[in-house]
Amino acid sequence: MHFHNAAGQVMRLADNLTLKELAEMGIELTISEKVDPNHELWLSDEDLEEDPDFKK
């Protein structure tokens, strides 16, 4: 598993780590869709709470 940052650095980790294990290691993951590079389809919890149309 290879992770690249904006500075071009690469971090290599074992391929069998779960997302939970990565988070426990302090790695923040951002998952996005190629068809939605500006994240227009997904909202954060904060965005949802501010949305007057959002119903829990």
Side-chain angles (χ1 to χ4, degrees):
M1 189 177 315
H2 296 211
F3 293 96
H4 302 263
N5 66 14
Q9 299 168 323
V10 179
M11 178 174 37
R12 293 175 179 85
L13 298 171
D15 287 336
N16 61 347
L17 293 171
T18 65
L19 294 176
K20 181 181 178 188
E21 290 169 324
L22 291 170
E24 288 171 349
M25 292 170 59
I27 296 173
E28 181 178 321
L29 300 171
T30 302
I31 300 173
S32 63
E33 299 179 42
K34 288 184 180 182
V35 298
D36 184 27
N38 295 323
H39 310 290
E40 295 172 356
L41 298 176
W42 301 96
L43 296 174
S44 68
D45 289 341
E46 293 83 19
D47 291 337
L48 286 175
E49 290 173 4
E50 293 173 7
D51 185 347
D53 296 324
F54 176 70
K55 294 179 178 51
K56 290 185 178 181

